[in-house]
Amino acid sequence: MSNSSLPALPASDRPEVAARLRDALLGAAFTADGLLELLGAPAYTALARSETVPALRATRGDTPLETLVRLFLLQQPVPHARVADVLPVAACLESGWLVSVGTDEVAATVDVRPYGGPDGEDWFIVSDLGCAVGGAGGIGSREEGVVLGVGGASTTLAGITVRTPVSAALDLGTGSGIQALHASRHATRVTATDLNPRALHITALTLALSGAQAADLREGSLFEPVRDDETYELIVSNPPFVISPGARLTYRDGGMGGDDLCRSLVQQAGERLREGGFAQFLANWQHVEGEDWQDRLRSWVPRGCDAWIVQREVQDVTQYAELWLRDAGDHRGDTAAYEALYDAWLDEFEARKVKAVGFGWITLRRTDSDAPSVTVEEWPHSVEQPLGDTVREHFDRVDYLRAHDDAALLAAHFRLAPEIIQEQVGLPGAEDPEHVVLRQHRGMRRATKVDTVGAGFAGVCDGTLSAGRILDAIAQLVGEDPVLLRDRTPAQIRLLVEQGFLEPVG
């Protein structure tokens, strides 16, 4: 793939220049917190929508931070003398971070955007000019090989990733390197791959400018650059999952028919995982006429893996086509050409009998169990990020429930998870509620209906009494046969454990 029409990138083999540049950026408070203080919330938020006017108005002074914002975020030429007061200009010009413009100005060759790490780290994400974020207004470039910065999908994947220490992590389709950067915090060795060599170059810049360890960078599609004998404890990918009639944009279009790219990625991941390792992806999938979408996704799960698949959003084919045509900026061009592209998308969906497209998260965990657990669900409601611990705890609960039959559950001790509230729903003045709801305020923020026995059981679970003894006490209070109550309640206990309302003790 040729990127010849795109501007040249800074040298990626000059770590000493990246280190000096990083020191200068930090010295001028060119950080996420520094930008928020300088610009104010409205202008700072507007930048995330690719709207620059508020930030331009907020940087009309000549402080070092305002100079850097105009140079790297707003891509404005800045007088050489002003930049020389802030950055090592000669080194940045020689290594390609800056270029001379006219007789006395310099300009940035890449977008450099501050990004706050999960533990307060000051990181910097490098991307192509005008491509730091996407959105309904388009990414700012229609070149095939552009490399985007951090968008909503990138931060979503980073937030749901399990962050336990690992010896080897793999970032497939690394793009600007954000997932590799996160993995560098808890992985001894990080491998990052991409079909686009420009993306690998930019990933190296992101890691160097952020002060992170270098990654093993490999060019190729999906698992092609991975040797047959290589396995990992963590695999992450925000792949080019867009289902389109043609692979025009490398960063988003996978080049396979329908959702085949996402299916192939998931199916091939199993053999690359070490025992207990996680593979986590964002994906799109087709909703096909006459087919259950959940069954479609279950068929993707490789042998020897537990899976948790969450559908976060569904769009009909017209909404989906419009979203991605706007993302590419096609709506700003010739009307007839836009309509022809729109028609081609709908032709593709019609030929495949696709009525809608789902978006969500797929997590695999390698298991030695003879009966892997596959959970496919729809959860469009708000969640609390980061969710990495919640994802890990889901699979811990899968292991627990797999190892405990009903008798073992009744002998076990449980406690109510933190920040669970109970809601009673019914007519005003009624003696009893129509139903009782338990609601989480953390993690997935689930809500589940329970009967009065389930509510009473959950309410007294503090780890001191076994489940069976609690049910015996409830049976005595309500005048019910304790044997019958013990027989019918384990299913409800199992559900409350599975969804994280009850935590096993010991």
Side-chain angles (χ1 to χ4, degrees), residues 68-119:
L68 294 176
V69 171
R70 283 191 161 251
L71 187 66
F72 286 118
L73 266 66
L74 304 179
Q75 280 100 56
Q76 300 293 309
V78 179
H80 186 288
R82 281 181 58 186
V83 179
D85 290 337
V86 187
L87 301 178
V89 172
C92 288
L93 285 168
E94 190 270 334
S95 61
W97 288 95
L98 302 175
V99 292
S100 297
V101 178
T103 58
D104 64 348
E105 291 185 317
V106 296
T109 58
V110 288
D111 184 293
V112 175
R113 194 154 299 236
Y115 179 86
D119 291 327

Side-chain angles (χ1 to χ4, degrees), residues 200-286:
L200 297 175
H201 191 137
I202 283 181
T203 290
L205 298 176
T206 290
L207 294 172
L209 197 57
S210 298
Q213 65 173 325
D216 178 6
L217 304 176
R218 304 182 191 180
E219 182 179 344
S221 177
L222 299 182
F223 289 98
E224 287 177 2
V226 179
R227 297 192 304 270
D228 290 342
D229 61 344
E230 289 183 299
T231 56
Y232 301 86
E233 292 144 294
L234 176 66
I235 300 172
V236 293
S237 183
N238 177 19
F241 53 66
V242 177
I243 301 170
S244 70
R248 293 189 302 137
L249 299 173
T250 303
Y251 77 88
R252 69 166 207 193
D253 302 316
M256 297 186 186
D259 52 16
D260 285 352
L261 182 137
C262 291
R263 176 184 55 78
S264 297
L265 180 62
V266 173
Q267 290 180 335
Q268 293 173 23
E271 61 187 15
R272 301 297 183 181
L273 279 178
R274 296 177 186 173
E275 187 66 34
F278 288 91
Q280 299 187 259
F281 316 106
L282 300 185
N284 275 178
W285 43 79
Q286 298 173 149

Side-chain angles (χ1 to χ4, degrees), residues 139-224:
I139 62 169
S141 175
R142 300 177 72 180
E143 296 286 350
E144 176 187 347
V146 295
V147 179
L148 270 62
V150 177
S154 301
T155 55
T156 294
L157 179 59
I160 68 172
T161 300
V162 176
R163 297 296 175 191
T164 52
V166 297
S167 61
L170 173 64
D171 175 17
L172 282 177
T174 188
S176 61
I178 179 60
Q179 308 306 329
L181 181 57
H182 275 278
S184 70
R185 294 175 60 250
H186 61 101
T188 304
R189 177 173 58 88
V190 177
T191 301
T193 72
D194 206 290
L195 180 64
N196 183 358
R198 189 176 182 87
L200 297 175
H201 191 137
I202 283 181
T203 290
L205 298 176
T206 290
L207 294 172
L209 197 57
S210 298
Q213 65 173 325
D216 178 6
L217 304 176
R218 304 182 191 180
E219 182 179 344
S221 177
L222 299 182
F223 289 98
E224 287 177 2

